[in-house]
Amino acid sequence: MRVSISKSSIKGEVFAPPSKSYTHRAITLAALSKEAVIHRPLLSADTLATIHASRMFGASIDQKGDDLFIQGVNGKPRVPDDVIDAANSGTTLRFMMAIAALTDGITVLTGDASLRTRPNGPLLEVLNRLGVKAFSTRGNDKAPIVVKGGLGGAIVTIDGSISSQFISALLIACPLAQNSTTLSIVGELKSKPYVDVTLEMVELAGVKIHTDDNNGTGFIIPGKQKYNLKEYTIPGDFSSASYLLASAAMIEGSEVTVKNLFPSKQGDLVIIETLERMGADITWDRKAGKVTVRGGKPLKAITFDAGATPDLVPTVAVLASVAEGTSRIENAEHVRYKETDRLRALAIELPKLGVRLKEAKDSLTITGGELKGAAVHGWDDHRIVMALAMAGMVAGNTTIDTTESVSISYPDFFKDLSNLGAKIEETSEE
Ligand SMILES: O=C(O)C1=C[C@@H](OP(=O)(O)O)[C@@H](O)[C@H](O)C1
Ligand SMILES: C=C(OP(=O)(O)O)C(=O)O
């Protein structure tokens, strides 16, 4: 699908969509528990992949209105009848690789063309050291992946510099192993807040994991535990909200309130502080869970460390494109291992809109200025599409292709923007 976007300002109130990361975890932990209900889950392509995989492991999941009713496997996932297709979702693939290690048979996991380019080496290596046979069919650490269950326990180290999802996956599965596991992270842990979200959810589901004092980079995970998630309400998603908040900040005449944004372990809530640092007019009523942004204040360049919050990079890159001065997005190499190489995608697309940008191995240097309309490519990547839509509302006269990819994390993105007054037309041709 392609959309064309004219210069627009946006005004009004909108509900932040439910968090993708919390939804993945709530479904996965409910599926490993006996019986649970999840209120207000995100139902998007990625979380549907987690629902599908959980069903393949034996959970039964029914949607009724805004709730998911889950009969779980009570700690004993069964061997799937078929290959598990994790579609476009890295979180699903990594979590389900570790769940597969708890079965007493063989599981094959794959995904779409994008997911089959993403690395899994550190997780495969640790699963093998924990007594599991796990390998890539192509011998390149990428899906399709085969996992033969038998998760024991051991003292292991894992590389934290590629994806925190490997660590989250082990933190979810290891409490159900026969023995205890000691897991230490080597190399810089990227995307750490996502590990904190995992720990929060795992503990809420009744499982104990001990964190050592070493900056939270070591875990002792007793085995033979049980999950008992009963009920959980998914909070709003700060990454999805970032596109709305940042758009309002960039465009004069805009005033947007995003609701359902309460304090949370989500690292991407730093979008609020980032907009403040850039000089935006933004207020967060934490009690009411409401963030309000008024556009029109000139934005200043910043340095943005993407280590903990890779998903904000497309949003911040577009903000930098209109800010006064030269911004640097650094510590961002892991952003290359997403649905696309997002540093590369931004380095190719933003200059089409007139942006001056330099790409390095782990950084983008962006000098802000006037944007001009262009036909840009969305790279089949939801976050690239949503970030380009922000730029399109500033530049006007912009078309973006592969916009259906917003279904991965924010299916109502274009509907919400239109309701706020954005001038967006969807056309069905490629
Ligand atoms: O665990 C999670 O829910 C996620 C972790 C992050 O990935 P990495 O840990 O691979 O950086 C993030 O980019 C992704 O969107 C969601
Ligand atoms: C990278 C993302 O998700 P995942 O790793 O689950 O595919 C994302 O949502 O930007």
Side-chain angles (χ1 to χ4, degrees), residues 20-22 24-25 91 94-95 118 162-166 168 190-191 194-195 198 307 309-311 334 337-339 342 382-383:
K20 174 163 84 79
S21 292
Y22 275 95
H24 278 303
R25 285 156 178 79
T91 311
R94 278 76 177 251
F95 285 12
R118 296 175 66 182
I162 296 174
S163 169
S164 71
Q165 292 170 358
F166 307 147
S168 287
K190 297 288 169 66
S191 305
Y194 294 96
V195 172
T198 304
T309 55
D311 292 359
H334 56 315
Y337 310 134
K338 305 294 180 191
E339 285 80 330
R342 288 181 176 152
H382 53 134
R383 298 202 192 280

Side-chain angles (χ1 to χ4, degrees), residues 303-307 328-333 362-364:
T303 298
F304 181 81
D305 184 325
R328 249 178 81 79
I329 297 175
E330 52 191 33
N331 197 13
E333 193 178 347
D362 71 346
S363 68
L364 293 177

Side-chain angles (χ1 to χ4, degrees), residues 187-382:
E188 192 196 338
L189 171 58
K190 297 288 169 66
S191 305
K192 180 173 181 294
Y194 294 96
V195 172
D196 297 336
V197 172
T198 304
L199 289 170
E200 178 193 356
M201 291 298 292
V202 157
E203 278 163 22
L204 197 78
V207 151
K208 293 263 172 299
I209 293 180
H210 310 288
T211 310
D212 71 14
D213 292 336
N214 213 355
N215 257 338
T217 56
F219 306 96
I220 299 167
I221 313 168
K224 291 201 179 80
Q225 301 193 63
K226 283 221 167 253
Y227 282 113
N228 189 16
L229 188 71
K230 290 213 160 92
E231 192 167 6
Y232 189 72
T233 303
I234 305 294
D237 193 305
F238 282 86
S239 332
S240 298
S242 77
Y243 308 100
L244 306 171
L245 301 172
S247 297
M250 291 193 304
I251 305 168
E252 189 152 9
S254 294
E255 179 168 346
V256 168
T257 296
V258 185
K259 299 186 285 189
N260 194 26
L261 292 177
F262 294 92
S264 154
K265 292 226 183 295
Q266 291 170 70
D268 285 1
L269 59 75
V270 300
I271 187 59
I272 293 174
E273 186 195 306
T274 305
L275 284 166
E276 270 165 7
R277 277 205 290 141
M278 295 184 90
D281 178 352
I282 179 165
T283 51
W284 184 13
D285 181 340
R286 290 172 172 75
K287 277 224 173 93
K290 287 185 181 183
V291 184
T292 300
V293 181
R294 287 175 201 85
K297 279 234 195 157
L299 299 179
K300 305 188 284 278
I302 51 162
T303 298
F304 181 81
D305 184 325
T309 55
D311 292 359
L312 287 182
V313 166
T315 311
V316 174
V318 172
L319 284 168
S321 301
V322 300
E324 200 182 306
T326 298
S327 295
R328 249 178 81 79
I329 297 175
E330 52 191 33
N331 197 13
E333 193 178 347
H334 56 315
V335 181
R336 295 189 182 279
Y337 310 134
K338 305 294 180 191
E339 285 80 330
T340 49
D341 174 343
R342 288 181 176 152
L343 297 190
R344 169 47 51 97
L346 292 164
I348 291 179
E349 300 311 317
L350 291 178
K352 292 181 188 168
L353 295 162
V355 178
R356 282 177 293 156
L357 182 152
K358 264 199 252 140
E359 176 192 0
K361 193 165 159 240
D362 71 346
S363 68
L364 293 177
T365 305
I366 298 172
T367 302
E370 194 123 322
L371 301 186
K372 62 174 174 40
V376 288
H377 175 37
W379 291 60
D380 284 298
D381 182 330
H382 53 134

Side-chain angles (χ1 to χ4, degrees), residues 83-201:
V83 171
I84 291 182
D85 183 359
N88 191 245
S89 172
T91 311
T92 308
L93 175 67
R94 278 76 177 251
F95 285 12
M96 298 306 154
M97 284 168 65
I99 306 295
L102 295 167
T103 69
D104 54 13
I106 295 172
T107 303
V108 183
L109 305 103
T110 191
D112 69 5
S114 152
L115 193 58
R116 282 184 276 113
T117 66
R118 296 175 66 182
N120 301 292
L123 180 56
L124 287 170
E125 198 184 310
V126 172
L127 286 173
N128 280 290
R129 278 194 272 131
L130 292 172
V132 177
K133 257 201 156 44
F135 57 91
S136 148
T137 58
R138 294 180 286 163
N140 62 358
D141 296 341
K142 293 169 181 161
I145 300 283
V146 179
V147 178
K148 182 168 188 285
L151 192 67
I155 298 174
V156 288
T157 57
I158 185 159
D159 177 1
S161 67
I162 296 174
S163 169
S164 71
Q165 292 170 358
F166 307 147
I167 294 142
S168 287
L170 293 165
L171 293 174
I172 289 170
C174 288
L176 302 179
Q178 282 313 303
N179 305 305
S180 76
T181 302
T182 301
L183 179 68
S184 318
I185 297 164
V186 290
E188 192 196 338
L189 171 58
K190 297 288 169 66
S191 305
K192 180 173 181 294
Y194 294 96
V195 172
D196 297 336
V197 172
T198 304
L199 289 170
E200 178 193 356
M201 291 298 292

